[in-house]
Amino acid sequence: MKIAYDYQTFSVQKYGGISRYFYQLTKHISKTEHTAEIFSPLHINNYINNLPKELVNGRFVDAKYIDRIPKKSRIIGSINRSLSKRNIELFNPDIVHETFYSKHKTYKKSKCTVITVYDMIHELFDYYLPPHHKGWDEKKDAINRADHIICISEHTRKDLIELFDIEEEKTSVVHLAYDNSAIVDNKRLDNQRPFLLYVGWREWYKNFKPFLKSISRSKSIMNDFDIVAFGGGEFTTEELQLISELGFKNGQVRQVSGDDYLLATYYSQARAFIFPSLYEGFGLPPLEAMSYNCPVISSNASCMPEVIGDAAEYFDPSSLDEMLESVEKTVYSDSRINELVSLGKQQIKKYSWQKCASETLSVYQSII
């Protein structure tokens, strides 16, 4: 069987969850008797830049050069669409797996087309979005024309079926996996106060501001712990104002950026990882935290119980009191910390990229 992955995610992501997912699929499927190849004539992605050349039909272009091109998205997109269609036609695949949502089919011939749906956030929370973000016609078009749809959790499949009126038989669930290949450098965080860790984007459904508000209600937490927000960009003026208004000391809540190695070190040294999100399609950070022996305190919304199992202290993300109660009874209990670490070690055994690739291959084989 021959599988082609299109250019879409690799032409816009240097790094990122979606491009990492397809990088891992290509990497693992290529080790089987099947053939997988990425068709991205011009790409900026660092993951696939490290794959063997025979697995990537295209070339890496440093993003700093592409950024200099006027109307770069339109021009690069046009080049990639034209060249990849021709190259995929020459490859003659059995399966074309589109890496994101587009109005136009990657490959015109009647080969099986697969799309992966990562979440239904924009449909469920459209009232948070500015007008130009609403609609998502490309997503609907891609889903409706696909021969089969892979969802990354049962919860995402349920939302997809309900919101887009998709037949269940047209869908499958394949869980993602996590990466913990980074080596921890414990020396990098010497002389820091105990801290609670938050990772990733902070706006909108991620629920970061309510998390800060809940923590600020506890004198003991305020006295004993710092808050580290890893990634997600520097704090906005609004966030800095809120941090000050809530009574946090200068530097007590800080934003940190860095590579996977630094993130691994923060996971390994945090008292706990906090995941207050209102909705996730899958939710990789809790699994990453578990892989570095970091106890998880998580929202009980959407797919979190499905993915995390019993390896977290849960709370209702809409309740500041419940959120705070979960944090306090965990971080001040060594026995609960040790229990969550132990449960996390067992939970992450359920997920691997090899398993993800194997189950994805089974989906491909079932539709050709």
Side-chain angles (χ1 to χ4, degrees), residues 137-352:
D137 291 336
E138 293 88 350
K139 184 175 183 178
K140 290 182 180 179
D141 289 343
I143 288 171
N144 287 332
R145 72 164 181 268
D147 296 291
H148 201 80
I149 305 159
I150 293 175
C151 301
I152 61 174
S153 68
E154 288 286 358
H155 196 279
T156 295
R157 172 159 71 171
K158 173 178 172 290
D159 287 340
L160 171 69
I161 291 170
E162 290 180 357
L163 291 167
F164 280 10
D165 193 27
I166 301 294
E167 295 180 0
E168 185 172 350
E169 294 74 21
K170 192 181 176 180
T171 67
S172 297
V173 173
V174 178
H175 285 150
L176 303 181
Y178 64 95
D179 291 286
N180 73 335
S181 57
I183 299 171
V184 175
D185 181 3
N186 289 317
K187 293 181 180 178
R188 296 175 75 168
L189 301 182
D190 283 349
N191 303 318
Q192 289 215 40
R193 270 166 42 96
F195 63 92
L196 307 178
L197 180 64
Y198 175 97
V199 173
W201 194 42
R202 300 182 301 273
E203 282 297 332
W204 191 15
Y205 64 94
K206 292 294 187 178
N207 218 28
F208 179 69
K209 291 174 186 174
F211 161 59
L212 291 181
K213 291 176 182 178
S214 74
I215 292 301
S216 70
R217 296 182 175 193
S218 170
K219 290 183 179 180
S220 56
I221 296 284
M222 294 286 279
N223 287 332
D224 297 338
F225 291 93
D226 288 351
I227 309 296
V228 173
F230 192 98
E234 295 181 0
F235 286 140
T236 64
T237 301
E238 183 182 355
E239 287 174 321
L240 291 172
Q241 182 177 347
L242 176 64
I243 289 167
S244 176
E245 290 174 352
L246 291 175
F248 288 99
K249 297 175 184 176
N250 186 36
Q252 186 177 4
V253 182
R254 55 188 180 276
Q255 189 276 330
V256 175
S257 296
D259 57 21
D260 288 346
Y261 297 96
L262 184 59
L263 175 57
T265 304
Y266 272 98
Y267 274 135
S268 69
Q269 295 192 31
R271 182 59 173 172
F273 168 71
I274 317 296
F275 200 55
S277 181
L278 297 173
Y279 184 96
E280 295 290 329
F282 184 75
L284 281 174
L287 299 182
E288 292 176 344
M290 293 175 198
S291 74
Y292 290 106
N293 297 327
C294 181
V296 174
I297 304 171
S298 174
S299 157
N300 63 7
S302 68
C303 70
M304 269 70 96
E306 173 189 343
V307 174
I308 302 172
D310 62 357
E313 183 69 41
Y314 287 110
F315 57 83
D316 178 351
S318 66
S319 170
L320 299 186
D321 290 336
E322 195 171 317
M323 194 184 307
L324 177 59
E325 181 183 355
S326 294
V327 172
E328 286 186 320
K329 74 179 184 181
T330 301
V331 299
Y332 288 114
S333 171
D334 287 343
S335 61
R336 183 57 174 155
I337 290 286
N338 292 334
E339 181 183 24
L340 289 174
V341 169
S342 178
L343 290 169
K345 288 179 180 179
Q346 296 303 311
Q347 185 67 12
I348 59 174
K349 292 179 181 178
K350 300 176 182 179
Y351 304 97
S352 73

Side-chain angles (χ1 to χ4, degrees), residues 10-189:
F10 304 110
S11 64
V12 296
Q13 283 193 342
K14 297 179 186 178
Y15 297 96
I18 295 175
S19 60
R20 181 181 292 184
Y21 161 58
F22 286 105
Y23 157 77
Q24 291 286 359
L25 286 182
T26 305
K27 177 182 173 182
H28 286 279
I29 290 174
S30 67
K31 296 176 182 178
T32 70
E33 69 273 22
H34 305 286
T35 302
E37 191 168 334
I38 294 167
F39 290 82
S40 189
L42 298 176
H43 71 85
I44 62 172
N45 190 259
N46 287 281
Y47 299 130
I48 66 170
N49 194 38
N50 294 318
L51 283 173
K53 291 183 178 180
E54 63 269 19
L55 301 183
V56 182
N57 190 306
R59 63 186 301 171
F60 175 80
V61 181
D62 195 312
K64 67 183 179 183
Y65 297 116
I66 289 182
D67 289 341
R68 298 173 185 173
I69 301 174
K71 299 180 180 179
K72 60 180 180 180
S73 296
R74 184 179 301 175
I75 294 172
I76 299 299
S78 178
I79 293 171
N80 277 327
R81 276 193 299 273
S82 176
L83 292 180
S84 63
K85 283 180 181 178
R86 184 196 68 183
N87 294 339
I88 291 174
E89 184 173 348
L90 292 172
F91 181 62
N92 193 27
D94 301 292
I95 297 285
V96 176
H97 194 152
E98 298 179 4
T99 61
F100 206 65
Y101 313 122
S102 171
K103 280 183 172 293
H104 308 290
K105 195 171 183 177
T106 297
Y107 187 48
K108 295 294 186 182
K109 293 187 178 180
S110 57
K111 299 293 183 178
C112 290
T113 300
V114 176
I115 191 79
T116 296
V117 173
Y118 310 99
D119 58 60
M120 301 299 289
I121 291 167
H122 291 80
E123 291 77 16
L124 290 167
F125 295 89
D126 65 341
Y127 47 85
Y128 281 106
L129 293 169
H132 68 277
H133 276 291
K134 297 183 180 181
W136 276 71
D137 291 336
E138 293 88 350
K139 184 175 183 178
K140 290 182 180 179
D141 289 343
I143 288 171
N144 287 332
R145 72 164 181 268
D147 296 291
H148 201 80
I149 305 159
I150 293 175
C151 301
I152 61 174
S153 68
E154 288 286 358
H155 196 279
T156 295
R157 172 159 71 171
K158 173 178 172 290
D159 287 340
L160 171 69
I161 291 170
E162 290 180 357
L163 291 167
F164 280 10
D165 193 27
I166 301 294
E167 295 180 0
E168 185 172 350
E169 294 74 21
K170 192 181 176 180
T171 67
S172 297
V173 173
V174 178
H175 285 150
L176 303 181
Y178 64 95
D179 291 286
N180 73 335
S181 57
I183 299 171
V184 175
D185 181 3
N186 289 317
K187 293 181 180 178
R188 296 175 75 168
L189 301 182

